[in-house]
Amino acid sequence: MSHASWKQTLEGRIDPGWAEEIDHFEGQLELRRQGKIEEKVFAETRLRRGVYGQRYDNGKRHDGVAERPLAFEEKPTKGPDTLWDAPGMQRIKIPFGGVSPEQLEVLAELAEDYSDNILHVTTRQDFQLHFVHIEDTPDLMRRLAAVDITTREACGNSVRNVTACPRAGVCRGEAFDVSPYAHALMRFLLGHPDVQDFGRKFKPAFSGCEHEACGLVQMHDGGYVARMRDGKRGFKVVVGGGLGPVPHQAQVLSEFTPEEELLPQMQAVCRVFARLGEKRNRGRARIKFLVAKLGIEEFRRLVEEERVTLPHDDRWTAFLDDMPHTSGEAVLEPGPLGDAGRSPGFEAWHRSNVYAQRQEGYAMATVHLPLGDMTSDQARSLADIARRFAGENLRTTVDQNVVIRFVPDAELPALYEALCAVGLGAPGAGTIADVVTCPGTDTCKLGIAASRGLGSEMIRRLQAKAGTLPEAVEALSIKASGCFNSCGQHHISDIGFYGNSRKIDGRTVPHFQVILGGQRQENGGSYGLAVGSVPSKAVPLAIEALTGAFAEGREPDESFQAWSARLGKRSMRELIKPLMSVGPYAEEPEFYSDWSDVREFTIGDLGVGECAGEVVSLFGIEVVKAEAQAFDAQIALDDGDAGGAESLAYAAMLSAARALVRTEFIDVTEQPEDVVAEFRTRFFENERFFDKYAKGKFGAYLLERHANPDTTVDDALAARRIEEAQLFIEAAHACEARMTAEAAEVPA
Amino acid sequence: MTPQRIAAKFLVEPDPAAAVALEPVIGLFHRFIQEQSLPGLLLDVADYAHVPDGPGVVLIGHDVDYGIDLSDGQAGLLVVRKRFAGQAFGEVLRDTLGRALTAAQAIGQESDLGLRFASDALTLHFFDRLVTPNSDEAFESVRGEVEPVAECLYGAASYEISRVRSEDRRKALSLSIRGSGEIAPPSALIERLSA
C-alpha cells in the first residue's frame, strides 16, 4: 500500500501555477486551523476555491422537535458562524459544460473518496460534491487539477463558470461554435487582477443563436450571442441580466463586437464593474444594479472609455490563432438509423432525448439525470459509453443533464441499450418530467422549502404519466427553487416555484410561490410572474390544475406563455385558489411537513428557533391586504398599466409594513409618511426586519421607493417593483415569525 | 496505512433484488437522529431515491454514514466509516463492522419497515485510490487486515474472502466475506468484534 501523498503522486502532472495556488490554499487552511488568520479572510479564501458551507454548519439543527446542537469538536471556525468540522459543498467549474471521459472518471473517484457517491450537475453546468470535509479539499483540488479542472473562482466575488449552449458546434441554427470563445474567456479571466475586486459575482454565458433557449444569455451578468457580419465572426454583447430576488433582463452593450475585441471589451466591463459597482450593500452589488443605475448608454460610454486605456495584452487574440473549427471529432463513421434491432422504449427515448446534429448522420443524445444526480458507477459507465460512441464529446447542461455528441444515427439503438443497462436510459429530457431544481433545504443554508423533495415527487408522478399526457403538456418545463434567490431558474420556466412559508394554526407551513409564463426561448427572453402561494404538499395538484386547464383551453399551437397571458393572472390565480388554503394541524398534519422530510416544518434552521404562537395573529389578518395589492399590481401590469402596477406594488409594501407596525402600535395611521417612519424606527434601524443573509435588502426596497418615487415608469420598472413587493411581503412574514418565536421564548 | 474510508454492506434478506420502499426509511432515519439511536454524530438525511441503483436514503453522520443502498441492483445496509485519522486499519475495520451490525439490528427491529439483513455475508469497499487502489497487490495487503476480523466474526476456517469488482480497476477495491456453518446472531457478532 502506498505511503505517498497526492501532492507527491501528482507532481509534474499539474499546471505549476495551479499547483502553487493549491499549496497556498492548503497553507491558509493550516493557518486558520491554528487561528493565525481571521475567519472572514479565510472564508473568502475558501469560497474563491469553491469550498462552500452547507446547511447546519453553524452547529444547530432543528430535528422536528427542537433545535439541537450538533456536537462537533471545538475548533476554529471556517468563517463567521461556520464550524470547522461541519461538512460542506465543493463546487467544480466546468467551462461551457465540456467534460471528458477521463475527467468524469476522476470526478467519480472524488465522489466516493470524499463525498456521498453522488455527482450533482448544477443549473450552471458545474458539478457539486456535498458533505465534503475541508481537510480533504486540497487533495481533491490536486486530483482535479491533474485532469485540467480548477475550482478557482467557483464561488466568491469574481467571474464564475462561463456557461454555453451544450449544442455549440453541432447546432443546426447557430452562427458558429461558441465553445472555443467560452474557453478562451474563462482562461483569460481566471485569476485576472481585474476580476478580484468585485462587490459581487459575475456570471457569463455564450449562445450560438438569438432565439433558442440553450444559452440563456438574457439572464446573465454578461452574455454573448454569436453573430456573423460581412463574413466576420463577432458577438452581440449584453450586460446586466440576472435572476435572483429581483430579475433583470440584460441590455445590449454592443450589437456586434468582433471576435478579437471579445476579451478586451470584457476586461473593460470588469474594470468598470470593479470600480463603480456597489461594494457595501451586497443586495445591490450585482452588475444589473449598476447598469440600471447608470443607464446602458452611460455604462457603454464608460466601457468604451476604459477600453481605450487598457494596456495591450497578446492574449486578447492569441487564442484565435489555433481556434478549432468545431468542438470535438466523431470516433465513428456516420450512418443512418435503420429499422432493425430496437429495444422497447427506444422510440420514446429517441423522440425526447435525441437531437439531429448539423453534421449529417450524427446526433446528440441527452442523458436525463434526475435532479442532476448520478452515481460514481454511472459516471464511469458514462465515460465508457462516451468513448465507445462519441470520443471526448460530453457536455453538462443548464437543465442538469449530460449530452453525448457525435453519435452516429445508426448507433443510437446500441447507445440506448448501453445507457439503459446502467440506469441512464430514462426518456423525457426536455419535457415536463425533466424537472430542474436547486439544492434547496437538502443542503443549502438559504433554502426555505424542499425544492429537491418536490422535484423528486414531481418526477415520480410525471414519469408515471409519460406517453399519456397531451403533447403540449408534455413539452412544458417545470423549475423550482428553494427560496427567492432563483438558483433553480424558476423565472424562466412555464411553471416555476420558489419556496416560502406561511404561519397557519400557530405553526409554519412550507409553501411554494407559483410563477407562471416565463420564457426559455429567446435566451430566457422574459420572466414569469407570481400568481399565488400554494402549500408545498398541494403543488402536484396545482400542476394538475394548471396543465389540465391549459390542455383543455389552449388554442391550436398556443404556447403556455401565450395561453396564461391571454387568460390573465386573475384567471390563473383562480385555478390554484382552491389549493391555497390549509386546514388546522389536527385535521391536515401532512401539510405541516415538507417533501422527503417527515420533520414538522420549521424555518428555524435559517435563523432563530420557532414554536407555536397564537392561532390567527393581527399580522396574519392585515398582511392579506398587502398580498392582494401585490397581486392586483400584476393584473395592472398585464393590462398595460405600468404606472398603476408600480403604485400598487408600493402600496403593497406599505400595507405589509403597516401590518408589522400594528403588532406594536395599533393606532398607526395609513399615511405613507407615518407608516414608513414607524417601520424605519421599529423594524429597520434596529435590524429586526433584516434577513440573516440578505440583511436589510428587502426593507430598503420600501424605504428607497418611498424616498425616491420614479417619475417615469415603464413595464420593466413596474415588473421589478412587483418583485420587490413580493419579497418585502415574504420578509414581513419571516420577521413576524421570528417575533412570535422570540416572544414565546421569554419566560412567563 | 489506513484508507480514507471503509464501507461495509449487508444485503437485505431474503431477496436483495426485490424493491424496497424507501419513503419509510426517511422517517426512520430522522427518528434515529432525534433519539440518537446509532453510534456517531448524526447530522441529516439525504434522499437519493430518485437515482436508479443509487445510494437510496442516507443518514449522514460526521464520522459514519448509514444508508439503505441500492447499488449493483442489490438492496442492503451500507455503512461508510470516515474521519478516523491516526487509527489502525484493523481497529477501524472492526469499528465499521460493529457499527454496521448495530445499525442492522436497530433497523431490523422496526417491524413496520420489514427490513432484515443477512449477516452471513458482507461486502467491504475501501475508498482510497492512493492507499488501496484496485490492484492485486493492494488486495493481498488488505486481505491480511481483513482475515483476523473475518475470523473473529465467523470462526477460523469458516469464511471465504473473495475479491469483487476487480474487472474494472477504476472502481474502489472491494471484497466479499462469506461465512459458513452456523452464523451467530448480530448481537453475538457485535460482542465478538468488541471483545
Side-chain angles (χ1 to χ4, degrees), chain A residues 105 112 115-116 384 596, chain B residues 5 34 47-48 50 129 170:
Chain A
E105 286 165 347
E112 287 176 331
S115 178
D116 60 354
D384 291 339
S596 287
Chain B
R5 293 179 176 204
Q34 283 169 0
D47 176 10
Y48 293 120
H50 53 277
R129 267 62 185 190
R170 298 169 303 176

Side-chain angles (χ1 to χ4, degrees), chain A residues 554-606:
Chain A
R554 69 188 283 263
E555 304 287 344
D557 298 327
E558 191 174 33
S559 69
F560 189 89
Q561 192 189 22
W563 171 78
S564 58
R566 176 167 64 81
L567 265 65
K569 295 284 185 301
R570 199 182 298 277
S571 301
M572 292 293 106
R573 187 180 174 90
E574 286 302 314
L575 287 172
I576 60 169
K577 202 170 179 180
L579 303 166
M580 289 169 71
S581 59
V582 175
Y585 180 76
E587 291 173 20
E588 296 183 315
E590 69 275 16
F591 281 88
Y592 293 75
S593 61
D594 213 336
W595 294 107
S596 287
D597 196 339
V598 296
R599 291 174 293 171
E600 186 178 320
F601 183 78
T602 174
I603 57 169
D605 291 325
L606 274 172

Side-chain angles (χ1 to χ4, degrees), chain A residues 186-256:
Chain A
M186 172 267 176
R187 281 284 177 174
F188 178 65
L189 293 178
L190 185 70
H192 195 291
D194 288 341
V195 307
Q196 304 304 313
D197 190 29
F198 292 170
R200 203 72 179 82
K201 60 191 169 184
F202 187 100
K203 296 177 176 175
F206 280 78
S207 175
C209 74
E210 294 266 357
H211 304 299
E212 294 294 330
C214 335
L216 302 176
V217 300
Q218 281 298 123
M219 48 160 265
H220 279 80
D221 297 283
Y224 308 88
V225 181
R227 276 188 173 171
M228 296 295 292
R229 182 178 281 181
D230 301 328
K232 193 167 166 40
R233 288 180 169 193
F235 295 89
K236 172 186 170 184
V237 179
V238 296
V239 288
L243 297 180
V246 182
H248 287 55
Q249 281 280 316
Q251 300 185 55
V252 179
L253 177 71
S254 154
E255 287 290 348
F256 187 81

